[in-house]
mmCIF file of all heavy atoms in Angstrom:
data_model
loop_
_atom_site.group_PDB
_atom_site.id
_atom_site.type_symbol
_atom_site.label_atom_id
_atom_site.label_comp_id
_atom_site.label_asym_id
_atom_site.label_seq_id
_atom_site.Cartn_x
_atom_site.Cartn_y
_atom_site.Cartn_z
ATOM 1 N N VAL A 78 6.057 -4.374 -2.282
ATOM 2 C CA VAL A 78 5.627 -3.455 -3.460
ATOM 3 C C VAL A 78 5.754 -2.023 -2.709
ATOM 4 O O VAL A 78 4.794 -1.473 -2.275
ATOM 5 C CB VAL A 78 4.219 -3.639 -3.853
ATOM 6 C CG1 VAL A 78 3.872 -2.808 -5.074
ATOM 7 C CG2 VAL A 78 3.917 -5.139 -3.979
ATOM 8 N N THR A 136 -3.451 6.122 7.560
ATOM 9 C CA THR A 136 -2.050 5.949 7.562
ATOM 10 C C THR A 136 -1.775 4.613 6.563
ATOM 11 O O THR A 136 -0.596 4.740 6.108
ATOM 12 C CB THR A 136 -1.625 5.412 9.068
ATOM 13 O OG1 THR A 136 -2.425 4.307 9.500
ATOM 14 C CG2 THR A 136 -1.685 6.555 9.911
ATOM 15 N N SER A 137 -2.596 3.669 6.441
ATOM 16 C CA SER A 137 -2.166 2.552 5.725
ATOM 17 C C SER A 137 -3.401 1.791 5.130
ATOM 18 O O SER A 137 -4.591 2.028 5.655
ATOM 19 C CB SER A 137 -1.447 1.544 6.629
ATOM 20 O OG SER A 137 -2.364 1.184 7.709
ATOM 21 N N ALA A 138 -3.164 0.921 4.321
ATOM 22 C CA ALA A 138 -4.327 0.180 3.755
ATOM 23 C C ALA A 138 -4.893 -0.607 4.920
ATOM 24 O O ALA A 138 -6.054 -0.822 4.890
ATOM 25 C CB ALA A 138 -3.837 -0.779 2.582
ATOM 26 N N THR A 139 -4.079 -1.018 5.783
ATOM 27 C CA THR A 139 -4.508 -1.899 6.888
ATOM 28 C C THR A 139 -5.546 -1.012 7.724
ATOM 29 O O THR A 139 -6.650 -1.465 8.063
ATOM 30 C CB THR A 139 -3.327 -2.302 7.838
ATOM 31 O OG1 THR A 139 -2.381 -2.901 7.083
ATOM 32 C CG2 THR A 139 -3.813 -3.090 8.981
ATOM 33 N N ALA A 140 -5.064 0.274 8.097
ATOM 34 C CA ALA A 140 -6.021 0.996 8.986
ATOM 35 C C ALA A 140 -7.254 1.384 8.217
ATOM 36 O O ALA A 140 -8.281 1.449 8.745
ATOM 37 C CB ALA A 140 -5.271 2.269 9.452
ATOM 38 N N SER A 142 -8.679 -0.477 5.816
ATOM 39 C CA SER A 142 -9.498 -1.703 5.858
ATOM 40 C C SER A 142 -10.179 -1.781 7.149
ATOM 41 O O SER A 142 -11.392 -2.162 7.125
ATOM 42 C CB SER A 142 -8.667 -2.936 5.558
ATOM 43 O OG SER A 142 -8.211 -2.909 4.074
ATOM 44 N N ILE A 180 -6.071 -13.984 0.490
ATOM 45 C CA ILE A 180 -6.118 -12.503 1.055
ATOM 46 C C ILE A 180 -4.975 -12.246 1.746
ATOM 47 O O ILE A 180 -4.283 -13.004 2.374
ATOM 48 C CB ILE A 180 -7.413 -12.315 1.944
ATOM 49 C CG1 ILE A 180 -7.898 -10.895 1.967
ATOM 50 C CG2 ILE A 180 -7.154 -12.815 3.347
ATOM 51 C CD1 ILE A 180 -8.704 -10.507 0.805
ATOM 52 N N HIS A 181 -4.568 -10.932 1.774
ATOM 53 C CA HIS A 181 -3.299 -10.525 2.390
ATOM 54 C C HIS A 181 -3.447 -10.592 3.935
ATOM 55 O O HIS A 181 -4.474 -10.462 4.519
ATOM 56 C CB HIS A 181 -3.207 -8.862 2.047
ATOM 57 C CG HIS A 181 -1.758 -8.377 2.355
ATOM 58 N ND1 HIS A 181 -1.547 -7.769 3.506
ATOM 59 C CD2 HIS A 181 -0.636 -8.472 1.742
ATOM 60 C CE1 HIS A 181 -0.211 -7.353 3.492
ATOM 61 N NE2 HIS A 181 0.293 -7.710 2.424
ATOM 62 N N ILE A 182 -2.310 -10.735 4.557
ATOM 63 C CA ILE A 182 -2.197 -11.046 5.987
ATOM 64 C C ILE A 182 -2.851 -9.888 6.824
ATOM 65 O O ILE A 182 -3.389 -10.202 7.854
ATOM 66 C CB ILE A 182 -0.755 -11.248 6.424
ATOM 67 C CG1 ILE A 182 -0.686 -11.580 7.977
ATOM 68 C CG2 ILE A 182 0.109 -10.025 6.147
ATOM 69 C CD1 ILE A 182 -1.254 -12.921 8.237
ATOM 70 N N THR A 183 -2.853 -8.739 6.296
ATOM 71 C CA THR A 183 -3.269 -7.494 7.072
ATOM 72 C C THR A 183 -4.875 -7.674 7.111
ATOM 73 O O THR A 183 -5.580 -7.104 7.971
ATOM 74 C CB THR A 183 -2.889 -6.198 6.486
ATOM 75 O OG1 THR A 183 -3.248 -6.126 5.083
ATOM 76 C CG2 THR A 183 -1.369 -6.062 6.645
ATOM 77 N N LEU A 184 -5.560 -8.222 6.079
ATOM 78 C CA LEU A 184 -6.958 -8.482 6.132
ATOM 79 C C LEU A 184 -7.330 -9.480 7.275
ATOM 80 O O LEU A 184 -8.349 -9.322 7.883
ATOM 81 C CB LEU A 184 -7.497 -8.766 4.822
ATOM 82 C CG LEU A 184 -8.134 -7.650 3.926
ATOM 83 C CD1 LEU A 184 -9.441 -7.086 4.560
ATOM 84 C CD2 LEU A 184 -7.219 -6.494 3.677
ATOM 85 N N ARG A 186 -5.546 -9.972 9.824
ATOM 86 C CA ARG A 186 -5.429 -9.342 11.040
ATOM 87 C C ARG A 186 -6.600 -8.438 11.446
ATOM 88 O O ARG A 186 -7.106 -8.273 12.449
ATOM 89 C CB ARG A 186 -4.136 -8.456 11.086
ATOM 90 C CG ARG A 186 -4.045 -7.561 12.325
ATOM 91 C CD ARG A 186 -2.791 -6.914 12.488
ATOM 92 N NE ARG A 186 -2.513 -5.933 11.532
ATOM 93 C CZ ARG A 186 -1.493 -5.103 11.607
ATOM 94 N NH1 ARG A 186 -0.680 -5.124 12.591
ATOM 95 N NH2 ARG A 186 -1.254 -4.234 10.534
ATOM 96 N N GLN A 226 -9.808 -9.245 -3.611
ATOM 97 C CA GLN A 226 -8.567 -8.390 -3.845
ATOM 98 C C GLN A 226 -8.193 -8.122 -5.238
ATOM 99 O O GLN A 226 -8.336 -8.895 -6.137
ATOM 100 C CB GLN A 226 -7.413 -8.978 -2.997
ATOM 101 C CG GLN A 226 -6.826 -10.294 -3.467
ATOM 102 C CD GLN A 226 -5.658 -10.747 -2.482
ATOM 103 O OE1 GLN A 226 -5.094 -9.942 -1.733
ATOM 104 N NE2 GLN A 226 -5.424 -12.020 -2.590
ATOM 105 N N ALA A 227 -7.691 -6.870 -5.426
ATOM 106 C CA ALA A 227 -7.063 -6.473 -6.540
ATOM 107 C C ALA A 227 -5.561 -6.443 -6.479
ATOM 108 O O ALA A 227 -5.025 -5.622 -5.751
ATOM 109 C CB ALA A 227 -7.620 -5.121 -6.968
ATOM 110 N N GLY A 228 -4.814 -7.415 -7.055
ATOM 111 C CA GLY A 228 -3.365 -7.460 -6.935
ATOM 112 C C GLY A 228 -2.956 -8.370 -5.718
ATOM 113 O O GLY A 228 -2.715 -7.943 -4.604
ATOM 114 N N GLU A 229 -2.977 -9.741 -6.045
ATOM 115 C CA GLU A 229 -2.437 -10.546 -5.076
ATOM 116 C C GLU A 229 -0.959 -10.471 -4.923
ATOM 117 O O GLU A 229 -0.318 -10.234 -5.957
ATOM 118 C CB GLU A 229 -2.901 -12.116 -5.529
ATOM 119 C CG GLU A 229 -2.859 -13.133 -4.320
ATOM 120 C CD GLU A 229 -1.483 -13.664 -4.204
ATOM 121 O OE1 GLU A 229 -0.660 -13.740 -5.182
ATOM 122 O OE2 GLU A 229 -1.223 -14.345 -3.127
ATOM 123 N N VAL A 230 -0.515 -10.507 -3.678
ATOM 124 C CA VAL A 230 0.934 -10.154 -3.431
ATOM 125 C C VAL A 230 1.853 -11.074 -4.331
ATOM 126 O O VAL A 230 3.021 -10.492 -4.638
ATOM 127 C CB VAL A 230 1.332 -10.214 -1.968
ATOM 128 C CG1 VAL A 230 0.849 -8.978 -1.253
ATOM 129 C CG2 VAL A 230 0.934 -11.511 -1.288
ATOM 130 N N ASP A 255 -9.672 -5.131 -1.210
ATOM 131 C CA ASP A 255 -8.274 -4.769 -0.928
ATOM 132 C C ASP A 255 -7.566 -4.554 -2.225
ATOM 133 O O ASP A 255 -7.173 -5.553 -2.888
ATOM 134 C CB ASP A 255 -7.678 -5.789 -0.025
ATOM 135 C CG ASP A 255 -6.176 -5.470 0.317
ATOM 136 O OD1 ASP A 255 -5.823 -4.294 0.184
ATOM 137 O OD2 ASP A 255 -5.503 -6.501 0.554
ATOM 138 N N GLY A 256 -7.200 -3.349 -2.561
ATOM 139 C CA GLY A 256 -6.488 -3.036 -3.770
ATOM 140 C C GLY A 256 -5.287 -2.275 -3.371
ATOM 141 O O GLY A 256 -5.043 -1.214 -4.108
ATOM 142 N N ALA A 257 -4.492 -2.693 -2.334
ATOM 143 C CA ALA A 257 -3.472 -1.897 -1.764
ATOM 144 C C ALA A 257 -2.492 -1.306 -2.808
ATOM 145 O O ALA A 257 -2.246 -0.159 -2.897
ATOM 146 C CB ALA A 257 -2.645 -2.787 -0.692
ATOM 147 N N PHE A 258 -2.160 -2.311 -3.717
ATOM 148 C CA PHE A 258 -1.451 -1.750 -4.920
ATOM 149 C C PHE A 258 -2.132 -1.919 -6.309
ATOM 150 O O PHE A 258 -2.098 -1.089 -7.096
ATOM 151 C CB PHE A 258 0.053 -2.199 -4.984
ATOM 152 C CG PHE A 258 0.042 -3.758 -5.247
ATOM 153 C CD1 PHE A 258 0.349 -4.297 -6.454
ATOM 154 C CD2 PHE A 258 0.018 -4.628 -4.088
ATOM 155 C CE1 PHE A 258 0.288 -5.636 -6.707
ATOM 156 C CE2 PHE A 258 0.087 -5.991 -4.369
ATOM 157 C CZ PHE A 258 0.250 -6.629 -5.560
ATOM 158 N N GLY A 259 -2.935 -3.077 -6.258
ATOM 159 C CA GLY A 259 -3.442 -3.466 -7.530
ATOM 160 C C GLY A 259 -4.554 -2.601 -8.211
ATOM 161 O O GLY A 259 -4.827 -2.572 -9.426
ATOM 162 N N THR A 281 -9.956 -0.212 -0.470
ATOM 163 C CA THR A 281 -8.781 0.405 0.121
ATOM 164 C C THR A 281 -7.589 0.307 -0.789
ATOM 165 O O THR A 281 -7.571 -0.603 -1.554
ATOM 166 C CB THR A 281 -8.352 -0.288 1.456
ATOM 167 O OG1 THR A 281 -8.271 -1.719 1.241
ATOM 168 C CG2 THR A 281 -9.174 0.055 2.589
ATOM 169 N N ASP A 283 -3.398 2.062 -1.302
ATOM 170 C CA ASP A 283 -2.115 2.818 -0.818
ATOM 171 C C ASP A 283 -1.798 3.912 -1.642
ATOM 172 O O ASP A 283 -1.864 3.713 -2.964
ATOM 173 C CB ASP A 283 -1.044 1.836 -0.617
ATOM 174 C CG ASP A 283 -1.183 1.225 0.797
ATOM 175 O OD1 ASP A 283 -1.465 1.796 1.888
ATOM 176 O OD2 ASP A 283 -0.851 0.007 0.842
ATOM 177 N N HIS A 285 1.389 5.085 -0.719
ATOM 178 C CA HIS A 285 2.842 4.755 -0.472
ATOM 179 C C HIS A 285 3.378 3.538 -1.272
ATOM 180 O O HIS A 285 4.558 3.318 -1.059
ATOM 181 C CB HIS A 285 3.125 4.733 1.037
ATOM 182 C CG HIS A 285 2.387 3.767 1.815
ATOM 183 N ND1 HIS A 285 1.844 4.098 3.076
ATOM 184 C CD2 HIS A 285 1.939 2.423 1.639
ATOM 185 C CE1 HIS A 285 1.265 3.069 3.649
ATOM 186 N NE2 HIS A 285 1.291 2.036 2.732
ATOM 187 N N LYS A 286 2.374 2.790 -1.903
ATOM 188 C CA LYS A 286 3.002 1.795 -2.802
ATOM 189 C C LYS A 286 3.102 2.211 -4.212
ATOM 190 O O LYS A 286 4.021 2.958 -4.597
ATOM 191 C CB LYS A 286 2.214 0.524 -2.613
ATOM 192 C CG LYS A 286 2.405 -0.145 -1.187
ATOM 193 C CD LYS A 286 1.482 -1.420 -1.094
ATOM 194 C CE LYS A 286 1.788 -2.055 0.258
ATOM 195 N NZ LYS A 286 0.929 -3.069 0.540
ATOM 196 N N TYR A 292 6.023 7.479 2.656
ATOM 197 C CA TYR A 292 5.286 6.907 3.745
ATOM 198 C C TYR A 292 4.818 7.919 4.695
ATOM 199 O O TYR A 292 5.493 9.020 4.847
ATOM 200 C CB TYR A 292 6.237 5.956 4.549
ATOM 201 C CG TYR A 292 6.335 4.737 3.755
ATOM 202 C CD1 TYR A 292 7.387 4.576 2.885
ATOM 203 C CD2 TYR A 292 5.450 3.727 3.772
ATOM 204 C CE1 TYR A 292 7.496 3.245 2.157
ATOM 205 C CE2 TYR A 292 5.432 2.668 3.144
ATOM 206 C CZ TYR A 292 6.444 2.397 2.285
ATOM 207 O OH TYR A 292 6.575 1.131 1.560
ATOM 208 N N GLY A 294 0.605 6.724 3.758
ATOM 209 C CA GLY A 294 -0.573 7.383 3.230
ATOM 210 C C GLY A 294 -1.480 6.349 2.470
ATOM 211 O O GLY A 294 -0.884 5.740 1.534
ATOM 212 N N ALA A 295 -2.726 6.212 2.791
ATOM 213 C CA ALA A 295 -3.579 5.303 2.103
ATOM 214 C C ALA A 295 -5.055 5.862 2.175
ATOM 215 O O ALA A 295 -5.310 6.868 2.717
ATOM 216 C CB ALA A 295 -3.531 3.935 2.926
ATOM 217 N N ARG A 422 10.213 -13.160 -5.075
ATOM 218 C CA ARG A 422 9.285 -12.300 -5.787
ATOM 219 C C ARG A 422 9.898 -11.014 -6.238
ATOM 220 O O ARG A 422 10.495 -10.262 -5.345
ATOM 221 C CB ARG A 422 8.120 -12.070 -4.907
ATOM 222 C CG ARG A 422 7.022 -11.192 -5.567
ATOM 223 C CD ARG A 422 5.833 -10.996 -4.570
ATOM 224 N NE ARG A 422 6.436 -10.418 -3.355
ATOM 225 C CZ ARG A 422 5.793 -9.571 -2.546
ATOM 226 N NH1 ARG A 422 4.699 -9.139 -2.851
ATOM 227 N NH2 ARG A 422 6.380 -9.223 -1.429
HETATM 228 C C1 PLP B 501 0.723 -4.016 1.471
HETATM 229 C C2 PLP B 501 -0.610 -4.535 1.272
HETATM 230 C C3 PLP B 501 -1.575 -4.372 2.286
HETATM 231 C C4 PLP B 501 -1.386 -3.549 3.462
HETATM 232 O O1 PLP B 501 -1.088 -2.290 3.170
HETATM 233 P P1 PLP B 501 -0.384 -1.309 4.324
HETATM 234 O O2 PLP B 501 -0.470 0.060 3.630
HETATM 235 O O3 PLP B 501 1.056 -1.891 4.403
HETATM 236 O O4 PLP B 501 -1.100 -1.400 5.526
HETATM 237 C C5 PLP B 501 -2.771 -5.005 2.001
HETATM 238 N N1 PLP B 501 -3.064 -5.754 1.032
HETATM 239 C C6 PLP B 501 -2.048 -5.981 0.051
HETATM 240 C C7 PLP B 501 -2.415 -6.667 -1.178
HETATM 241 C C8 PLP B 501 -0.833 -5.404 0.174
HETATM 242 O O5 PLP B 501 0.069 -5.595 -0.847
#
Side-chain angles (χ1 to χ4, degrees):
V78 192
T136 51
S137 62
T139 304
S142 291
I180 203 81
H181 195 262
I182 184 66
T183 56
L184 260 292
R186 175 170 63 171
Q226 63 183 346
E229 197 272 337
V230 283
D255 172 21
F258 64 94
T281 44
D283 275 316
H285 55 223
K286 288 182 178 172
Y292 283 97
R422 184 183 46 149

